[in-house]
Amino acid sequence: MANIKRNLRAGAALVLVSLALAACGGEGDAKKAETKAGGGASSQTVSVVTASLQNLPRTVTASGTVSAWEEVPVGAETGGLTATGVFVDEGTYVRQGQALVQMNDALLRAQLRQQQAAVQTAEANAARDQAALGRAQELKERGFLSQASLDTALANQRASNANVAAAQASLSETRTRLSQATIKAPVSGLVISRSVTRGQIIAAGTELFRIVRDGRLELDAQVPETDMALVRAGQSAVVSSDQVGETTGRVRIVTPEVNAETRLGTARIALVGGAFRPGMFARARIQVGDQPAVTVPTASVLYRENRAGVFVLGTDNRAHFQTVTVLSRTTESTAVGGLAAGTRVVVAGAGFLGEGDRVTIAAAARPAAAAPAAR
């Protein structure tokens, strides 16, 4: 009898354990069914705003290389002479007409004196023949000279005048070559390169210096083709470099061509002051004026896989990640592209959401604040 009672108690205990396990399994199945029915629903409570369209100051960013506004090569017009003096070096600011190089002009000065003598001789011969022509005309009028002799005197006078003109032309050529022996700055500006030394025999056409006209520099800013329509001549810009700091500038010209490979156009920005040098890399922020832009709170913009985006809500209150392009940003709000105005955007709690999560909205939608451009 005692064994029978022990067996009954053991069987009852086993039944209770089985019922408990069944109850637990049923509850788990119910939770799984609820989760499946909810489609991955989240209990996250979030705040939502509505993206708004506003006119905001827009800034286009670009980068490029600093270059000379106009580089003037300086070369020798006459050749075969030795440089006897070099008066300027790289980094020197020169004035128009300032002497840069003096070449040996001893031979040219000798030729000049020779040409001056030739002119004097020709002028003397011309004066003699002019007097002879006058006497021949007088004798012809009196009947003491034939017409042939008069014609000869007239021809001699004309030939003498031609010799004077030829001698004067040779003298002018020698004077010009003598003046070219002193190489002068064709414009005012900064000397950025020098390729001549004292004692060098200079050939005609050899480049000796390169001058940045008026010392003016500009930035060849590479602008994306999507922003080319916004950039115009006369717009102000801030140009900066990690090496020399910032300076102001103004767009001088926007080239009409876009590179077919890089899809970049060029805006030439004239620099005002600064310690920039040709060849340096610099960045520019071009103020292109007020432009319509969709704005959202900055806190709503997230980065997933290195792409900026926001969580938007559909009619079923499910969150979906949508990539956007950041146009400008402040601590309060951000102007974005790729998002339609009126779209509901998650702000608080967006960082904890996953794709397709159902959310609970904690506050009514409100328009986003305007954001000054700081692209």
Side-chain angles (χ1 to χ4, degrees), residues 233-274:
Q235 293 173 337
S236 60
V238 176
V239 180
S240 62
S241 168
D242 295 337
Q243 286 71 36
V244 298
E246 290 188 351
T247 188
T248 58
R250 190 167 296 276
V251 178
R252 182 176 66 85
I253 191 173
V254 179
T255 58
E257 184 180 12
V258 174
N259 189 292
E261 296 181 358
T262 63
R263 302 301 178 186
L264 297 173
T266 302
R268 306 192 188 281
I269 303 174
L271 305 183
V272 180

Side-chain angles (χ1 to χ4, degrees), residues 164-236:
V164 171
Q168 289 176 341
S170 297
L171 177 61
S172 177
E173 177 187 0
T174 304
R175 282 175 174 166
T176 301
R177 293 181 60 197
L178 181 60
S179 66
Q180 291 173 349
T182 303
I183 300 175
K184 300 178 180 179
V187 297
S188 299
L190 181 68
V191 178
I192 60 173
S193 70
R194 190 193 90 173
S195 56
V196 60
T197 58
R198 186 174 179 178
Q200 175 182 341
I201 298 178
I202 301 175
T206 302
E207 180 179 311
L208 308 178
F209 299 93
R210 189 166 287 269
I211 299 176
V212 176
R213 184 174 184 178
D214 297 330
R216 290 173 55 182
L217 300 177
E218 62 183 18
L219 174 66
D220 295 335
Q222 303 300 305
V223 181
E225 63 177 348
T226 53
D227 296 329
M228 284 291 289
L230 303 177
V231 182
R232 297 182 299 276
Q235 293 173 337
S236 60

Side-chain angles (χ1 to χ4, degrees), residues 44-332:
Q44 179 72 31
T45 299
V46 299
S47 63
V48 177
V49 299
T50 302
S52 61
L53 183 65
Q54 301 183 21
N55 283 329
L56 301 176
R58 177 78 181 276
T59 300
V60 172
T61 60
S63 60
T65 304
V66 177
S67 64
W69 166 61
E70 185 176 310
E71 281 191 10
V72 181
V74 181
E77 296 180 86
T78 189
L81 302 178
T82 303
T84 57
V86 179
F87 308 128
V88 298
D89 206 343
E90 296 171 338
T92 304
Y93 193 93
V94 297
R95 299 293 181 183
Q96 184 175 3
Q98 179 179 338
L100 306 179
V101 176
Q102 178 62 54
M103 294 189 288
N104 185 0
D105 58 1
L107 180 61
L108 293 175
R109 291 187 181 278
Q111 291 177 350
L112 178 65
R113 291 190 295 270
Q114 183 180 10
Q115 295 297 332
Q116 288 173 337
V119 169
Q120 292 174 355
T121 300
E123 290 175 344
N125 291 336
R128 180 197 61 195
D129 290 339
Q130 180 64 39
L133 176 62
R135 289 191 300 272
Q137 289 174 337
E138 183 179 354
L139 292 175
K140 177 66 174 62
E141 291 174 356
R142 294 180 179 182
F144 298 129
L145 191 68
S146 65
Q147 182 64 42
S149 298
L150 178 62
D151 291 342
T152 300
L154 180 60
N156 291 337
Q157 186 268 341
R158 291 177 177 173
S160 296
N161 289 341
N163 289 335
V164 171
Q168 289 176 341
S170 297
L171 177 61
S172 177
E173 177 187 0
T174 304
R175 282 175 174 166
T176 301
R177 293 181 60 197
L178 181 60
S179 66
Q180 291 173 349
T182 303
I183 300 175
K184 300 178 180 179
V187 297
S188 299
L190 181 68
V191 178
I192 60 173
S193 70
R194 190 193 90 173
S195 56
V196 60
T197 58
R198 186 174 179 178
Q200 175 182 341
I201 298 178
I202 301 175
T206 302
E207 180 179 311
L208 308 178
F209 299 93
R210 189 166 287 269
I211 299 176
V212 176
R213 184 174 184 178
D214 297 330
R216 290 173 55 182
L217 300 177
E218 62 183 18
L219 174 66
D220 295 335
Q222 303 300 305
V223 181
E225 63 177 348
T226 53
D227 296 329
M228 284 291 289
L230 303 177
V231 182
R232 297 182 299 276
Q235 293 173 337
S236 60
V238 176
V239 180
S240 62
S241 168
D242 295 337
Q243 286 71 36
V244 298
E246 290 188 351
T247 188
T248 58
R250 190 167 296 276
V251 178
R252 182 176 66 85
I253 191 173
V254 179
T255 58
E257 184 180 12
V258 174
N259 189 292
E261 296 181 358
T262 63
R263 302 301 178 186
L264 297 173
T266 302
R268 306 192 188 281
I269 303 174
L271 305 183
V272 180
F276 290 87
R277 297 176 181 271
M280 294 183 67
F281 174 81
R283 295 174 293 273
R285 302 190 302 274
I286 307 171
Q287 307 296 330
V288 297
D290 291 348
Q291 302 292 332
V294 175
T295 60
V296 296
T298 298
S300 66
V301 180
L302 307 174
Y303 286 86
R304 299 287 173 88
E305 298 179 354
N306 293 326
R307 295 184 300 171
V310 295
F311 274 104
V312 300
L313 294 185
T315 55
D316 56 353
N317 285 348
R318 294 186 185 277
H320 301 281
F321 187 76
Q322 180 172 338
T323 59
V324 297
T325 302
V326 176
L327 304 178
S328 64
R329 177 193 296 271
T330 67
T331 56
E332 297 296 331

